Amino acid sequence: MEGLQLLLTGFAAALSWQNLLFAFIGCVLGTLIGVLPGLGPAAGTAILIPLTFKLDATGAIIMLAAIYYGAMYGGTITSVLINVPGEAASVVTCLDGYQMARQGRAGTALGIAAIGSFAGGVVAALALAMVAPPLARFALSFGPPEFFALMFLGMCLVTGLAGKSLAAGLLMTIFGLLLSLIGIDPVRGAPRFTFDVPELYDGLGFVPVVMGLFGVAEILLMIESPFRQLLDTKIKGLWPSREEWKRSSGAIGRGTVIGFVLGLIPGVGAVIPTFMAYIVEKRLSRHPERFGTGVIEGVAAPETANNAYANAAMVPLLVLGVPSSPTIAIIMGAFIINGLTPGPFLFKERPDLVWTVIASFFTGNVILLILNLPLVGLWARLLKVPYQYLCVGTLLFCIVGAYSLKGTVFDVGVMLVFGVIGYFLRKLGLPLAPAVLALILGPFMEKSLRTSLEMSAGDFGIFLTRPISATLLAGAALVIAVSTFKFATLKAMKEAESK
Amino acid sequence: MKRGWQAAVAALLLIFAVFAYESFKLSLSDTLGPGPGFFPFWLGALGAVLSVILLVQLHLGRVDVSDEALVFEPAGMRSVAAALGGLIAATALLDVLGFRMAMLFLIPFLLVVLGARNRTAIAICAGAGSFGVYHVFFDLLKVPLPVGIFGL
Amino acid sequence: MKTMQHGTTQGLIAALTAVLVLAAGPAPAAQYPTKSLQLMIAYPAGGSTDVAARIVAAIAEKQLGQPIVVVNRGGAGGQVGWTDMSRARPDGYYIGFINLPALNTVILDPQRKAAFKVDAFVPIINQVLDPGIIWVKGDSPHKSLKDLLEAAKRAPNTLSAATTGILSDDHLAILMAEEAYPGAVFRIVHLEGGAAQMTAILGNHVNVAFDNVGSVFRRIRTGEVRALAVMDTQRSRFLPDVPTTPELGFKTVISSSTRGIAAPKGVPAPIIKRLEEVFQKAMADPEHVKKMDEAGLALKIMVGEEYAKYYRELHAKAAKYTEWAQKRPHR
C-alpha cells in the first residue's frame, strides 16, 4: 500500500531528534495550556504562532498539532481533580471523573484517561494514514441539513438519558438551548435577549457558564457541607481492577470509533464525540444507573473519543484544506504563514511534510503517554491539600480563568451567577448534562436549521429528502420512541408494584 | 424535595415566558423563512407548556421525586452566604481595586470563613494568590489581569 | 527691585507653564509608546485578516520599540470587536483592524443596533485590498459568468449562492450582479467564513460561492475549483488567467474587502502620525511584501486622509446595497 510506504518514510523524518523535540515541547505546552485556566487550546496556540515563525514549517506544524491534542488531555486533569472543565471537550469527564477523585481514585481516573487517549489517538492516526482521502470525501456529504439532524439526534440521546425524569431533562435541554441563543443572531445580525448589555453580544460564553455550573457550584456545595469533601483522601492505588479493565477496553474501543468518525466531519467540534461516547457507553452498560457515581467507563469513553477526534480532525485540514474548529483554523493559519496550502495539492507537492506530520501524531501520542502517566500520581496527590485551601485555590483558578477569556470582569460575574444556579440544580437533582450540551449545540443547530432553509427556499422537506439527514432524523425519532416507552413502562411497573 | 422542584419549575416557567415574549417582539418570519425570533419563540413556548404540565404533575403527586428532603444546613448556609458575599464583592470591585488588592483581601477572608486557622499558611496563600498569580500570568504568559485605580 | 520681581514673575510663569504642560494629558508623540500596544482583530484567529495582521505586527513592533500584542475579539461578524474598540480609551495603546465594507454594513443595518457610528474610528492605514471572486466547483456546468447569470435568470431563486456572512462584501456583490443582469435571482445562502464555503461547494450543497481572492486562490490553481470572474478593475496577480467583471461587460460589479488599521476617535494627532509612519514603513518592508505575496493577499496601502476618503465613499456605496438587501423579496 502506497500509504504505508509513505508513512514509513514519514516516520524516518518524525523520529529525527528535532521533530521529536518539537513534539515533546508541544505536548508539554499543550498539557499546560489545557490545565491552566482560560487558556484554551485556541488562545494558547494563537499565542505560540510567533514562535513558529522561527522554526521550519514541518517542525512548527508538528508542535502546534501536539499542543492541540496535548491540551485535550490537560483539560481532563482539572475536570477530574476539581470538577472544573477547562474547555468544552472535558465537560463530560467531570461527570464520572470527579466522582472517582472524591473516592480517592483520581489517579486511576487520570491513568485510564491517559491510556484511553493514547489508544484512541494511535488508532485514529493509523486510520488517518490508511484511509484518509476516501473517508474525507464521504464526510463532505455532510451539509447544513445533515448537521442539524446530527445535532438533533445528539440532543435526543442526551435528554433521554437524563436520570429519573424525562420531563426534567427536556426542560433542562430547552433551558440550555435558550441560553445559547443569547447574543447577536448570527444569521440576521439582530441582538437577541441582550437587554442592551454589550458584553452579551457574543453570548454568555460557554466556559464561564460551565465553570460556574460545575466548578463553583461544587465548591459552594462543599462549603455548605464539609462532609462532602473527599470521601476518601487516601489514594487507593493507581491501577484499575481486572473487571474495570474489561469494561474500559470496550469503552475505549467504542470511543475510538465514535471520536474518529465524527472527527472526519468538518465542523462537528470536540463536544459531540465526548457526549456521544459517554451516552453510548451508558446505554450499553448493564448498570446505567451507576453512571455519574464514578464508573471508569464514564471516563475512558469520552477521553478516548476526544483524542481520537483530535487526531481525526486533522484529516479535513490535511486532505480537504478545511479546518474543523477554531483551533485547527489556527494551525491552518500556521501553514499559510509558512507559505503552504493544506489540501490535496499539498499531499502531492510536499508528501514529505504531510507524512512527517502524520507520523508525528504517533510519536506525539507516545510522548503524551510517557509524559502523563508518571505524573498521574503527582496530580492525585494535589488533592490531599486541606479542603479550605483546595476550595480557595479552585475559586482563584476559576476567577482567573473566567477573566482571562476576554479580559472582562463580566465573565467572572456570569460564572458566579451560574455557580449559584448550579448549586440549586445539584441540590434538587436536576440534570446538568442536557443543559450543557444544549448550550454548546444551540447556535449551531439554529444556524444549520436556517441555512438549510435558505438552501431550500423555506421548504422544511429538505431534511427528509436528503438520505443522510433523513436517516439521522429517523434515528432521533427512534430514540424518542424508545425513551418514552421506557419511561412509560417504568412508571407502569412502579404503579403496579405499589398497588 | 417536591417543594424544591415546584419552585425550580416555576422559575423555569417564568424564564421561558420571558424568552417567548422577547422573541415574539423580534420577527418570527419573513419572506424567506424563519426570522431571529422563530427558533427561540417556539422553544420558549414549548418549555412553558412543559413546565405547566410538570407543575400539575408535581401537584398531583405523579412524579417520582426523590423522597429525601431538601436539606439546607444552617451553619453551612451561613458559610455559603459569607463566601458568596465575599466573591460578589471581590468581583464587583475587581476593576476598582485591581486583581492583586482584591485577592489579597478575598483569599484570607474565604480561608477564614472556611475554617483555616494557620496564620502563616493564610498569609502565604494570600501573597501567592494575589501577587504571585498576577506576575506569573502577566510576565510569563502575557495574560493581563485587572489593574485597579491604585495601580495594583 | 523691579528686576527681581520681574525675574520672580518670569520664574513663576515658567513653573506654571511646566506644570500645565506636564498635566496636559497624554505623553507627547516623541515619548510614545511607553508600553505594549494591543492590536485587535475582530475575527477569530487563522483567517485572512489575522494572518496579515500578525505578519505586519511582527515587523512593525521592531520599529515601534514596544511589543504589539495581537488580540482576537471575534464574534457577530466583527461587531463584537469593533464595539470593544469604539469604547476603548483613546490613548493610542489600543488599535485594531477594520474590515470594509463589513464595518459599514454593521453600522448601516438597523437590525444590528450598532453601538457606534462612522466617525467612531480614525482610519490610519490600509493594508490589504482583497478583490471579490466568483467561483464554482471544478466540474460545475457553469463555464462562465454569463452562463451562471443566464441560468439564474432562466430559473430565478433556484441556484444557490453562498456568502461568507450576511451583509458581507460577498452578499453585496451578489446584489450587484443581480442588478447588472436584470432577471437573475439567486437563492442566497449565508455561511460563516471561507472554510464553510469550501465544504459546501465541494460537497455540492451550493452551486456558486462569492468570496475573496486571498481565501480561495490556491485551490483555484490546483484546479479543484474554478473561478468565473474577479470583481476588480484589473486582473489579480495571483490569478492572471481569470477575467475581471469589467472585461466581461459588467463594469458596475466591483467588490472587495479591505483591511486596515484604525484607532478609536480621540487619539491625539501626533500619535496617529507616528502610527502612520511606523506601519507605512513596516508595510514597505521587503519581508512583509514577500510574506503577503505568499499568502495571496494583495497590498493596497492607503495612508491617512486617502484612507479616510475611501472609508467615507465606501460607506455611501454600502448604504445603497444594504438598503436594497432589506427590501429584496428573497432576502
Side-chain angles (χ1 to χ4, degrees):
Chain A
M1 206 188 306
E2 205 207 320
L4 208 50
Q5 201 183 11
L6 289 165
L7 184 62
L8 289 172
T9 348
F11 261 116
L15 288 171
S16 76
W17 73 265
Q18 291 118 308
N19 288 332
L20 277 177
L21 183 65
F22 292 139
F24 178 76
I25 296 178
C27 287
V28 170
L29 282 175
T31 314
L32 273 177
I33 285 172
V35 172
L36 285 175
L39 277 183
T45 348
I47 292 176
L48 295 163
I49 285 193
L51 253 184
T52 64
F53 279 146
K54 313 210 171 93
L55 311 167
D56 72 295
T58 322
I61 291 160
I62 290 181
M63 193 159 89
L64 287 175
I67 291 176
Y68 180 60
Y69 47 76
M72 290 286 184
Y73 184 72
T76 309
I77 299 180
T78 54
S79 292
V80 168
L81 291 183
I82 51 177
N83 205 38
V84 177
E87 32 124 33
S90 327
V91 172
V92 182
T93 316
C94 288
L95 298 175
D96 277 90
Y98 179 66
Q99 295 305 319
M100 281 182 74
R102 288 184 63 217
Q103 293 157 22
R105 310 195 62 214
T108 320
L110 289 173
I112 202 74
I115 293 171
S117 295
F118 173 71
V122 166
V123 172
L126 200 66
L128 189 166
M130 303 279 159
V131 291
L135 277 182
R137 297 279 151 191
F138 165 73
L140 274 180
S141 34
F142 265 74
E146 284 71 32
F147 270 107
F148 177 76
L150 178 66
M151 286 184 267
F152 187 72
L153 175 63
M155 301 252 55
C156 290
L157 279 171
V158 178
T159 314
L161 283 167
K164 298 172 280 177
S165 166
L166 182 59
L170 264 173
L171 286 181
M172 286 284 99
T173 305
I174 297 180
F175 182 53
L177 282 174
L178 284 172
L179 284 178
S180 75
L181 299 177
I182 295 177
I184 287 190
D185 168 14
V187 181
R188 287 285 191 276
R192 288 189 296 195
F193 319 119
T194 55
F195 302 107
D196 286 332
V197 176
E199 284 89 351
L200 284 177
Y201 278 4
D202 207 17
L204 273 177
F206 179 72
V207 175
V209 170
V210 165
M211 278 177 133
L213 283 177
F214 283 79
V216 176
E218 178 64 28
I219 303 248
L220 290 177
L221 287 167
M222 259 210 244
I223 294 178
E224 186 198 2
S225 335
F227 80 82
R228 266 189 65 95
Q229 350 159 16
L230 294 179
L231 298 175
D232 198 332
T233 47
K234 198 168 73 155
I235 295 172
K236 285 205 185 92
L238 294 172
W239 282 126
S241 71
R242 257 265 280 266
E243 203 241 325
E244 285 184 320
W245 271 118
K246 218 170 70 173
R247 281 185 280 142
S248 304
S249 50
I252 289 178
R254 289 180 279 268
T256 309
V257 173
I258 294 176
F260 181 73
V261 170
L262 290 175
L264 292 176
I265 304 172
V268 163
V271 183
I272 299 190
T274 54
F275 270 91
M276 292 279 214
Y278 185 82
I279 289 164
V280 165
E281 221 39 55
K282 186 168 175 180
R283 277 200 177 270
L284 292 176
S285 160
R286 283 198 218 131
H287 302 278
E289 67 286 351
R290 295 211 306 218
F291 275 75
T293 62
V295 290
I296 202 166
E297 319 87 279
V299 177
E303 282 305 308
T304 313
N306 86 13
N307 226 47
Y309 166 86
N311 282 275
M314 292 295 175
V315 172
L317 178 68
L318 293 173
V319 176
L320 300 172
V322 172
S324 259
S325 71
T327 319
I328 302 199
I330 295 173
I331 297 184
M332 179 163 168
F335 269 92
I336 295 178
I337 286 184
N338 280 286
L340 303 161
T341 314
F345 203 53
L346 198 66
F347 260 89
K348 283 184 238 143
E349 263 214 337
R350 297 281 313 267
D352 54 316
L353 186 144
V354 178
W355 287 104
T356 311
V357 169
I358 295 180
S360 81
F361 293 164
F362 289 98
T363 56
N365 276 299
V366 171
I367 293 175
L368 204 56
L369 187 71
I370 298 176
L371 199 59
N372 286 310
L373 219 43
L375 289 177
V376 155
L378 206 73
W379 289 117
R381 238 168 286 245
L382 261 178
L383 292 182
K384 299 191 88 168
V385 164
Y387 98 102
Q388 297 97 337
Y389 297 91
L390 196 59
C391 282
V392 176
T394 310
L395 279 173
L396 192 62
F397 185 87
C398 290
I399 292 176
V400 176
Y403 181 83
S404 56
L405 287 169
K406 284 193 226 149
T408 74
V409 175
F410 186 77
D411 286 333
V412 182
V414 167
M415 183 179 74
L416 286 182
V417 168
F418 278 89
V420 174
I421 294 178
Y423 168 80
F424 282 111
L425 289 177
R426 293 274 299 273
K427 283 218 91 127
L428 290 168
L430 287 169
L432 285 174
V436 172
L437 185 62
L439 194 59
I440 295 192
L441 293 188
F444 292 125
M445 271 184 82
E446 186 190 25
K447 228 182 302 180
S448 311
L449 176 66
R450 289 162 76 178
T451 313
S452 306
L453 290 172
E454 279 171 359
M455 282 167 64
S456 70
D459 178 19
F460 275 85
I462 188 174
F463 297 106
L464 301 170
T465 51
R466 292 162 68 110
I468 301 183
S469 84
T471 321
L472 289 169
L473 283 177
L478 194 66
V479 171
I480 296 178
V482 168
S483 304
T484 333
F485 183 66
K486 196 176 79 168
F487 274 102
T489 15
L490 264 179
K491 223 173 80 167
M493 277 168 56
K494 268 226 174 69
E495 282 176 7
E497 267 173 36
S498 60
K499 287 228 175 78
Chain B
M1 197 60 89
K2 179 167 133 174
R3 286 250 173 266
W5 275 51
Q6 286 176 321
V9 177
L12 279 175
L13 175 61
L14 189 62
I15 292 177
F16 292 144
V18 169
F19 268 101
Y21 173 67
E22 287 290 319
S23 330
F24 194 67
K25 290 202 290 190
L26 301 161
S27 79
L28 281 187
S29 88
D30 41 53
T31 27
L32 190 55
F38 181 79
F39 205 45
F41 174 74
W42 290 110
L43 278 176
L46 179 65
V49 167
L50 284 174
S51 312
V52 169
I53 295 179
L54 189 54
L55 275 175
V56 168
Q57 285 191 325
L58 279 168
H59 186 71
L60 296 175
R62 296 254 195 88
V63 178
D64 177 26
V65 175
S66 145
D67 292 326
E68 26 169 300
L70 193 56
V71 176
F72 286 109
E73 299 172 28
M77 290 310 286
R78 273 199 292 271
S79 308
V80 171
L84 259 182
L87 282 167
I88 294 173
T91 309
L93 293 171
L94 203 54
D95 271 331
V96 171
L97 292 176
F99 182 81
R100 286 172 284 194
M101 271 188 72
M103 291 302 120
L104 202 56
F105 285 121
L106 182 66
I107 294 176
F109 176 74
L110 285 176
L111 283 173
V112 166
V113 162
L114 293 179
R117 289 288 174 260
N118 182 334
R119 300 224 188 140
T120 347
I122 295 180
I124 295 180
C125 283
S130 55
F131 285 78
V133 166
Y134 182 89
H135 284 287
V136 164
F137 274 80
F138 188 65
D139 299 324
L140 275 181
L141 300 169
K142 301 262 189 290
V143 174
L145 293 168
V147 176
I149 55 184
F150 301 111
L152 275 181
Chain C
M1 275 294 168
K2 249 198 176 144
T3 0
M4 220 158 60
Q5 266 180 327
H6 190 63
T8 334
T9 330
Q10 265 189 336
L12 258 173
I13 293 177
L16 259 170
T17 327
V19 167
L20 283 171
V21 165
L22 283 173
Q31 285 174 318
Y32 164 90
T34 54
K35 55 178 177 143
S36 63
L37 257 70
Q38 271 198 70
L39 179 62
M40 185 276 301
I41 308 202
Y43 298 96
S48 304
T49 317
D50 184 69
V51 166
R54 286 177 193 276
I55 293 176
V56 79
I59 298 175
E61 69 183 1
K62 290 188 216 133
Q63 285 153 16
L64 199 60
Q66 289 284 344
I68 301 182
V69 180
V70 173
V71 168
N72 296 90
R73 270 274 187 277
Q79 190 166 349
V80 173
W82 293 321
T83 310
D84 212 42
M85 177 153 77
S86 69
R87 297 187 308 160
R89 225 182 329 192
D91 55 9
Y93 290 97
Y94 187 129
I95 56 178
F97 263 81
I98 54 175
N99 300 52
L100 310 174
L103 175 61
N104 305 97
T105 57
V106 165
I107 297 173
L108 289 164
D109 185 1
Q111 280 217 25
R112 280 188 177 263
K113 303 200 194 131
F116 47 84
K117 305 237 182 352
V118 178
D119 57 0
F121 306 109
V122 176
I124 297 178
I125 179 170
N126 190 59
Q127 186 191 24
V128 168
L129 187 141
D130 202 357
I133 187 170
I134 307 176
W135 59 278
V136 293
K137 196 167 175 216
D139 55 11
S140 159
H142 309 288
K143 304 281 181 232
S144 73
L145 183 56
K146 254 234 174 65
D147 271 352
L148 181 74
L149 291 170
E150 186 54 39
K153 181 172 175 179
R154 265 183 282 122
N157 206 25
T158 318
L159 276 185
S160 47
T163 68
T164 55
I166 193 167
L167 288 179
S168 57
D169 57 306
D170 323 312
H171 185 183
L172 301 187
I174 298 181
L175 298 177
M176 286 183 214
E178 289 183 345
E179 186 189 32
Y181 203 86
V185 179
F186 287 100
R187 218 181 258 192
I188 304 186
V189 179
H190 300 290
L191 300 174
E192 293 235 328
Q197 278 190 342
M198 187 57 71
T199 24
I201 289 273
L202 291 178
N204 290 313
H205 304 293
V206 295
N207 300 107
V208 61
F210 283 65
D211 195 2
N212 301 92
V213 171
S215 321
V216 97
F217 79 104
R218 295 172 210 95
R219 309 300 288 272
I220 293 175
R221 281 199 193 149
T222 68
E224 295 170 83
V225 298
R226 190 167 10 108
L228 296 180
V230 168
M231 298 182 267
D232 198 10
T233 48
Q234 67 208 42
R235 291 206 171 190
S236 165
R237 205 170 75 249
F238 306 104
L239 293 169
D241 302 323
V242 178
T244 64
T245 33
E247 279 176 35
L248 296 171
F250 301 104
K251 51 186 206 311
T252 54
V253 184
I254 302 287
S255 168
S256 65
S257 170
T258 52
R259 299 143 200 174
I261 304 179
K265 171 175 70 172
V267 173
I271 295 186
I272 300 273
K273 202 94 193 66
R274 179 102 168 87
L275 287 169
E276 280 178 16
E277 283 164 9
V278 168
F279 279 103
Q280 195 169 9
K281 219 151 110 194
M283 291 185 193
D285 188 300
E287 199 198 332
H288 177 257
V289 175
K290 172 162 158 283
K291 280 213 141 90
M292 294 298 280
D293 204 56
E294 283 170 4
L297 296 168
L299 288 176
K300 177 139 169 94
I301 318 243
M302 294 185 270
V303 187
E305 180 51 34
E306 191 194 351
Y307 189 24
K309 180 156 163 278
Y310 181 80
Y311 180 32
R312 290 191 297 268
E313 284 172 359
L314 197 59
H315 198 78
K317 186 173 175 189
K320 170 181 172 199
Y321 289 102
T322 309
E323 215 186 299
W324 188 16
Q326 322 274 21
K327 297 215 184 74
R328 187 171 181 268
H330 318 272
R331 198 174 173 194

